[in-house]
Amino acid sequence: MTDQRRAERLDQPREPRGVKLPRFDPEAFGRWSEGIARGMGTANFIVYMTVVIGAWFAWNTLAPPDLRFDPYTFTFLTLVLSLQASYAAPLILLAQNRQADRDRVSLEEDRRRATMQKADTEYLAREIAALRIAMGEVATRDFLRSELARLAEELDEAAQRRQRLERRQQERAARGGGEPLDEPRDELDDDFARDGRPEG
């Protein structure tokens, strides 16, 4: 009784009754069908098939009558070619379906990658715009050149003043230090004390 209840549980599928069909691997069968379709779509297959049919015609036409296995009207050849066509068409369709499935997966992957690249491009565009805005507040090359040129001019003027000051000191030392200088004093002359002696 308990075994019968276990067998009748609703959460488990029933075992199929009747004839059990043989099971096969769809992936292996699909690869096999693609190989056949690929082989039938080559020039070698057409050449070999033409040679076989030509030999068939020649044998059943030129051979002695008692050795001919398929006499004129070639009924057996027609049956063989019909059988080949009846199997070739589904195999080719199966190979095409598998190729269509692969193409669909590849298309979805390409679409996903295109979406990611678009998002990355938009992110980089926003970052570049932010950098341009930030660069507007940064000193440019021309500004730095003008500032350095102005600083170089100021240093040259200071060096010239220092040379003039050294010349004056030498002249005062040569005159004995008591006579006033003929040259007017400038702002660097504040290095001298009021009595004319250098500070420090």
Side-chain angles (χ1 to χ4, degrees), residues 14-199:
R14 285 185 180 178
E15 294 185 1
R17 297 178 183 176
V19 180
K20 291 186 179 180
L21 297 175
R23 295 185 178 181
F24 59 90
D25 185 10
E27 188 66 25
F29 186 77
R31 288 195 299 269
W32 179 71
S33 65
E34 284 181 342
I36 291 177
R38 195 175 296 115
M40 292 179 70
T42 59
N44 289 334
F45 177 78
I46 297 173
V47 171
Y48 294 152
M49 188 172 177
T50 304
V51 169
V52 169
I53 292 174
W56 190 298
F57 285 166
W59 180 266
N60 288 296
T61 304
L62 303 175
D66 57 341
L67 295 178
R68 296 176 189 172
F69 58 89
D70 190 18
Y72 179 70
T73 68
F74 309 112
T75 308
F76 185 51
L77 177 63
T78 304
L79 178 64
V80 170
L81 292 178
S82 299
L83 187 64
Q84 176 194 351
S86 65
Y87 274 97
L91 289 175
I92 292 171
L93 287 174
L94 180 59
Q96 287 178 349
N97 290 338
R98 285 172 58 84
Q99 185 62 40
D101 292 340
R102 281 196 295 269
D103 291 342
R104 187 179 66 251
V105 171
S106 176
L107 182 63
E108 290 175 357
E109 182 67 18
D110 291 343
R111 192 174 296 162
R112 186 183 65 82
R113 288 183 180 177
T115 304
M116 290 177 58
Q117 288 178 354
K118 182 179 179 182
D120 292 342
T121 304
E122 290 177 354
Y123 172 75
L124 290 175
R126 288 194 299 270
E127 288 295 316
I128 291 173
L131 285 174
R132 285 181 177 174
I133 293 172
M135 287 296 291
E137 301 173 358
V138 177
T140 61
R141 183 171 50 187
D142 296 334
F143 175 75
L144 288 176
R145 283 180 178 173
S146 64
E147 290 295 313
L148 289 174
R150 187 177 61 80
L151 184 60
E153 290 176 1
E154 291 179 358
L155 289 174
D156 290 340
E157 291 176 2
Q160 290 175 1
R161 283 193 224 114
R162 190 167 288 115
Q163 288 175 358
R164 285 199 300 265
L165 185 61
E166 288 175 357
R167 246 191 346 255
R168 277 192 218 132
Q169 288 176 354
Q170 291 173 359
E171 290 175 0
R172 285 182 101 176
R175 293 181 185 173
E179 298 179 5
L181 295 175
D182 298 330
E183 215 173 317
R185 293 169 60 94
D186 56 8
E187 58 268 14
L188 286 181
D189 291 338
D190 293 337
D191 293 340
F192 284 87
R194 293 175 185 248
D195 57 353
R197 294 179 183 175
E199 291 183 348

